[in-house]
Amino acid sequence: MSKQPRKQRNDDASAPLHERHEKVRATLSQDLRDEYGQRSVRVNEGDTVEVLRGDFAGETGEVVDVDLSETAVRVEDVTVEAADGEEVPRPVDASNLRVTDLTLEDDLRQERLESEEDSA
């Protein structure tokens, strides 16, 4: 990896999909860490998260959208007012979130969480 910020930005902008998934990982709450033996997990729609940093620090809400092209997460109650007065969800970086509750509708996700070899 280069030290130059320009090259780092270009690498992020042109990253393939499998690398973008790594950029939308967030830390797990302590009880989920103890339960699954993992420190972080990819954020999915429907997960409940707590915002740790920024203007909305302390807010808790459900994930509405995970945008891999922007590597941004949109949380339910984290909104800003647009120029026309409409409330729109504000994109939040996944590193500023803590997952407090997981949606386990996806069987593959549950298998990954519970397996020993996938735990990081």
Side-chain angles (χ1 to χ4, degrees):
M1 176 162 227
S2 174
K3 290 183 182 179
Q4 293 181 350
R6 170 180 41 115
K7 287 187 178 180
Q8 290 182 10
R9 282 192 301 270
N10 286 335
D11 286 346
D12 284 346
S14 62
L17 187 62
H18 72 280
E19 288 179 10
R20 289 178 188 264
H21 283 284
E22 289 296 317
K23 297 188 187 306
V24 290
R25 290 180 70 90
T27 59
L28 287 170
S29 63
Q30 190 61 47
D31 57 332
L32 291 175
R33 280 188 197 188
D34 295 339
E35 183 178 347
Y36 294 111
Q38 293 189 23
R39 185 178 179 89
S40 66
V41 69
R42 184 195 183 284
V43 180
N44 282 357
E45 265 184 56
D47 289 347
T48 305
V49 295
E50 175 188 358
V51 181
L52 300 176
R53 302 214 180 267
D55 296 335
F56 296 95
E59 289 280 329
T60 303
E62 188 174 314
V63 174
V64 178
D65 180 44
V66 178
D67 189 357
L68 291 177
S69 64
E70 293 179 20
T71 62
V73 178
R74 289 177 176 78
V75 182
E76 191 174 33
D77 295 331
V78 178
T79 58
V80 290
E81 189 173 328
D84 62 356
E86 183 182 356
E87 291 287 322
V88 293
R90 179 176 177 185
V92 180
D93 193 76
S95 65
N96 297 328
L97 301 175
R98 177 187 297 139
V99 178
T100 56
D101 190 32
L102 296 167
T103 48
L104 297 174
E105 296 171 0
D106 184 12
D107 295 333
L108 184 60
R109 185 181 198 198
Q110 190 164 5
E111 286 176 26
R112 283 187 183 146
L113 283 169
E114 292 171 353
S115 75
E116 289 294 324
E117 59 194 38
D118 284 338
S119 63

